[in-house]
């Protein structure tokens, strides 16, 4: 069996949760106001990930510089699916793009970038499953911030607790605290667009 691309997420009928890691200066106002403000940059791409454990591997459980605060950002599913429908992969997948120049043109004009990376285990090991991260371009960031985001929750205390349990070798207890994620189904046109097969 080859690598599997799957969107796995914590979601309900209206909302999907994505994760980001930020410095205190960006995180605290965001938690308070349920939206981002400066020094958050509205002029560069912002990457959102529905996989909690992928972000843990990336931020080293919130210990990397400027990634000390782990935020759960609850956005509308309509916004999420809009992003996916506008997404262009960060590499020229031959099953989607006729040739490299077709992909290059699409990529350079894209409002959203899509990247697939190995999903992670609780211990940080890479899995065969590929997990999605979505880069929201500057043309859409304002809409993401003002219309899609419904709530921003500080998961930093929970993250520290899980990290501490792992350090003590209490993996079962740690796993129970990890946000629950299940496969998120998308339409065939979105599947084709973002390389799910």
């Amino acid at each position: 069996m080859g690598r599997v691309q799957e969107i796995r997420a914590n979601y309900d009928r209206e909302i999907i949760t994505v994760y980001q890691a930020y410095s205190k200066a960006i995180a605290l106002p965001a938690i308070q106001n349920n939206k981002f403000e400066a020094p958050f940059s509205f002029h560069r791409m912002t990457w959102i990930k529905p996989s909690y454990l992928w972000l843990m591997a990336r931020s080293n459980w919130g210990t990397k510089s400027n990634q000390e605060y782990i935020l759960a950002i609850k956005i509308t599913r309509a916004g999420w699916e809009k992003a996916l429908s506008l997404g262009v992969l960060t590499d020229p997948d031959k099953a989607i793009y006729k040739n490299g120049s077709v992909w290059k043109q699409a990529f350079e004009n894209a409002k959203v970038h899509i990247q697939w990376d190995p999903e992670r285990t609780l211990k940080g090991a890479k899995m065969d499953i590929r997990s999605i991260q979505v880069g929201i371009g500057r043309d859409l960031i304002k809409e993401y911030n003002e219309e899609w985001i419904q709530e921003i929750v500080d998961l930093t205390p929970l993250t520290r607790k899980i990290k501490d349990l792992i350090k003590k070798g209490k993996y079962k207890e740690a796993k129970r605290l990890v946000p629950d994620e299940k496969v998120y189904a998308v339409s065939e046109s979105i599947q084709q667009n973002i390389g799910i097969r």
Side-chain angles (χ1 to χ4, degrees):
M1 193 175 140
R3 290 169 180 155
V4 179
Q5 280 105 335
E6 264 181 3
I7 299 173
R8 289 181 173 191
N10 188 301
Y11 62 92
D12 59 27
R13 282 173 64 179
E14 305 289 329
I15 300 292
I16 178 171
T17 301
V18 294
Y19 303 99
Q20 294 187 285
Y22 283 111
S23 64
K24 187 178 184 175
I26 291 175
L28 292 187
I31 295 158
Q32 198 176 342
N33 304 315
N34 286 318
K35 64 173 58 163
F36 291 102
E37 52 191 61
F40 175 89
S41 174
F42 291 91
H43 307 292
R44 49 182 272 217
M45 192 162 268
T46 188
W47 287 89
I48 57 178
K49 305 103 180 156
S51 164
Y52 176 79
L53 289 178
W54 189 91
L55 185 61
M56 292 307 98
R58 184 65 183 267
S59 67
N60 197 15
W61 294 89
T63 61
K64 284 189 181 171
S65 178
N66 294 324
Q67 296 183 38
E68 299 90 352
Y69 280 76
I70 304 298
L71 305 182
I73 298 148
K74 295 174 185 287
I75 65 172
T76 64
R77 284 180 59 171
W80 171 251
E81 292 189 18
K82 179 178 180 176
L84 296 182
S85 68
L86 294 170
V88 174
L89 294 174
T90 54
D91 65 293
D93 186 325
K94 289 186 180 72
I96 300 174
Y97 310 104
K98 261 187 279 189
N99 55 51
S101 60
V102 169
W103 165 78
K104 192 167 187 269
Q105 196 178 356
F107 183 73
E108 283 169 1
N109 296 319
K111 290 183 176 180
V112 176
H113 288 170
I114 303 282
Q115 192 164 307
W116 292 98
D117 295 293
E119 181 56 284
R120 303 297 185 121
T121 67
L122 192 62
K123 296 180 183 180
K126 291 180 180 181
M127 296 168 70
D128 276 344
I129 295 159
R130 286 289 187 265
S131 182
I132 199 168
Q133 48 166 331
V134 176
I136 308 288
R138 56 187 177 197
D139 296 338
L140 271 184
I141 286 182
K142 208 171 169 203
E143 186 179 320
Y144 163 70
N145 195 42
E146 291 172 13
E147 294 174 32
W148 302 359
I149 294 175
Q150 304 300 298
E151 189 184 1
I152 297 177
V153 180
D154 183 9
L155 285 198
T156 314
L158 176 74
T159 299
R160 288 187 184 141
K161 194 173 179 181
I162 296 170
K163 182 176 178 279
D164 194 45
L165 286 168
I166 291 168
K167 206 173 164 186
K168 291 173 179 166
K170 297 180 176 178
Y171 294 105
K172 269 187 186 167
E173 286 176 49
K175 200 171 184 183
R176 276 203 292 269
L177 297 178
V178 171
D180 190 32
E181 291 162 13
K182 54 189 186 286
V183 175
Y184 184 104
V186 288
S187 68
E188 267 183 51
S189 63
I190 287 178
Q191 284 182 43
Q192 175 60 29
N193 192 48
I194 63 175
I196 293 179
R197 50 184 173 272

